[in-house]
Amino acid sequence: MTMTDFITRIAPTPSGFIHAGNALNFILTYIIAKHLNATLRLRIDDIDKLRSKKVFIDDIFETLKWLGLEYDYGAKDSDDFLKNYSYNNEVLFEELNNLHKKFPMLFYACKCSRKDIKGIYHGNCKELKLKLQKDKTSLRLHIKQNSYVWLGDFCIELFENIGDIILWQKDGFCSYQLASLLDDEKNGVNLLVRGEDLLNSSAIQLFMANLFGFKNFSKAIFIHHPLMLDQNGKKLSKSLNSHALYQWRKNNKKPYELFQKTAEIIGVKESWQINTKEELLACKDELEAFFRLNSQKLDRQ
Ligand SMILES: [Zn+2]
């Protein structure tokens, strides 16, 4: 067996305070990276400059420190991030234009607002040949019929279920799907550990990666993990501030139960007390089995 040099990343969005569910993803990404001897990057997804705030960026660094999760590449603190790592919308726009030149028949500007679109959007604006113009149009990727993406056992047909994908938003910012994909490809990311709510996102990004000829991302391995739910069985939300970890820190609460919860996800016996990353990393058999059972790859498209 040849060993792959894995590169993975923790990629939080600074649009709210980090909650227990985000931390679970950080810990899981970290221990899988350590287990595989992978390179771990930190990327802070501040594409949406309107919702990104310094206080949320600070919170990301404080949370990583509190959890004790170190990484190989990425900003060291908020100042370093804002100076050297923040998304550059103009660079993204150049990359968008380069792709646009390669796929002139598939990219088109769309004036529809969310209200105009009922259900799945199949490109009513495609024939209008509109210009991309801030606050007036977005740029979309046209999805043809029978656009299947097989990711492990998961299969989705994009035409029926997703429709034409927004690449550049009306507000003048790059879409999450494209910005995240471009960054991953550029940095050679070939292992993604994500919540299962991002399964459709993974399929969309894989579809684009394959279409654009992105060598790293189209061969990446994906692990989609269960989400942490609240008492009512709902997924934790940044906007509701539910289970925000800065509150834990304020109350001097330690992150033990987050490590215990991660251990449960990878299949460690519940009776085992797991309180630290070291204890988690010692569960080598469980980690290996979890990785083997949950790895997904683009099968065909
Ligand atoms: Zn339209």
Side-chain angles (χ1 to χ4, degrees):
M1 196 183 106
T2 50
M3 279 295 286
T4 312
D5 287 327
F6 282 116
I7 302 176
T8 188
R9 79 293 197 282
I10 288 172
T13 306
S15 59
F17 289 107
I18 296 297
H19 59 58
N22 304 131
L24 195 79
N25 173 267
F26 298 173
I27 295 170
L28 199 53
T29 308
Y30 174 89
I31 51 160
I32 291 173
K34 288 284 153 195
H35 180 70
L36 298 173
N37 206 13
T39 300
L40 179 60
R41 307 185 66 96
L42 169 68
R43 180 183 81 216
I44 298 178
D45 268 332
D46 72 334
I47 314 147
D48 187 341
K49 305 285 180 197
L50 304 173
R51 286 169 69 216
S52 297
K53 294 201 163 59
K54 171 83 162 44
V55 58
F56 301 142
I57 298 169
D58 290 339
D59 182 59
I60 289 169
F61 288 104
E62 276 156 31
T63 303
L64 288 171
K65 214 162 149 196
W66 177 68
L67 293 169
L69 307 181
E70 70 281 4
Y71 43 90
D72 303 302
Y73 295 97
K76 297 291 160 256
D77 53 39
S78 296
D79 292 334
D80 186 24
F81 171 74
L82 290 168
K83 223 169 118 189
N84 303 313
Y85 292 87
S86 180
Y87 268 105
N88 184 328
N89 209 45
E90 281 159 35
V91 171
L92 288 169
F93 194 66
E94 262 173 52
E95 295 184 48
L96 175 86
N97 280 328
N98 289 338
L99 290 171
H100 196 168
K101 276 178 212 147
K102 280 190 209 158
F103 302 94
M105 305 305 287
L106 290 178
F107 287 30
Y108 68 94
C110 164
K111 63 180 163 61
C112 302
S113 68
R114 210 166 285 186
K115 269 184 259 156
D116 299 329
I117 299 171
K118 292 179 183 75
I120 308 293
Y121 185 68
H122 291 310
N124 305 336
C125 294
K126 193 167 179 285
E127 302 310 319
L128 299 179
K129 311 265 182 239
L130 302 168
K131 273 205 172 121
L132 178 60
Q133 219 179 341
K134 193 170 179 286
D135 297 323
K136 298 223 162 80
T137 54
S138 58
L139 198 78
R140 287 183 188 263
L141 171 66
H142 185 57
I143 299 294
K144 294 176 179 158
Q145 283 188 42
N146 299 315
S147 294
Y148 290 93
V149 177
W150 276 269
L151 179 58
D153 294 336
F154 174 77
C155 173
I156 185 168
E157 198 284 305
L158 298 182
F159 180 84
E160 296 282 352
N161 297 288
I162 307 287
D164 290 1
I165 296 159
I166 293 198
L167 300 173
W168 200 262
Q169 298 177 170
K170 236 183 222 185
D171 62 11
F173 293 114
C174 190
S175 75
Y176 160 76
Q177 303 290 8
L178 182 64
S180 172
L181 170 63
L182 288 170
D183 189 89
D184 282 336
E185 179 65 18
K186 191 171 65 196
N187 290 306
V189 170
N190 55 8
L191 172 67
L192 289 95
V193 182
R194 297 177 147 173
E196 59 193 11
D197 57 330
L198 289 178
L199 206 40
N200 278 353
S201 246
S202 298
I204 290 168
Q205 291 179 328
L206 274 169
F207 180 86
M208 294 198 284
N210 209 41
L211 177 72
F212 299 157
F214 288 176
K215 295 275 178 299
N216 300 317
F217 199 92
S218 56
K219 291 196 190 88
I221 285 180
F222 288 76
I223 292 175
H224 292 94
H225 61 79
L227 299 178
M228 196 186 253
L229 304 174
D230 67 12
Q231 297 92 317
N232 305 316
K234 287 228 168 74
K235 107 180 199 201
L236 306 184
S237 148
K238 267 191 190 140
S239 53
L240 293 175
N241 242 344
S242 54
H243 301 259
L245 296 178
Y246 78 91
Q247 300 277 19
W248 293 31
R249 293 195 291 273
K250 225 193 248 168
N251 299 326
N252 269 324
K253 199 170 155 185
K254 301 286 178 214
Y256 302 144
E257 63 188 81
L258 298 170
F259 289 101
Q260 180 75 38
K261 196 88 198 160
T262 313
E264 283 168 28
I265 285 180
I266 65 166
V268 175
K269 277 194 218 112
E270 260 181 71
S271 53
W272 289 14
Q273 198 71 32
I274 302 286
N275 284 334
T276 64
K277 64 177 184 185
E278 287 80 10
E279 286 166 351
L280 250 182
L281 275 171
C283 305
K284 286 192 191 309
D285 293 345
E286 287 81 0
L287 269 167
E288 189 54 39
F290 177 80
F291 178 70
R292 206 166 8 121
L293 288 171
N294 293 283
S295 297
Q296 299 170 306
K297 251 185 115 146
L298 180 65
D299 199 8
R300 61 203 151 108
Q301 162 174 315

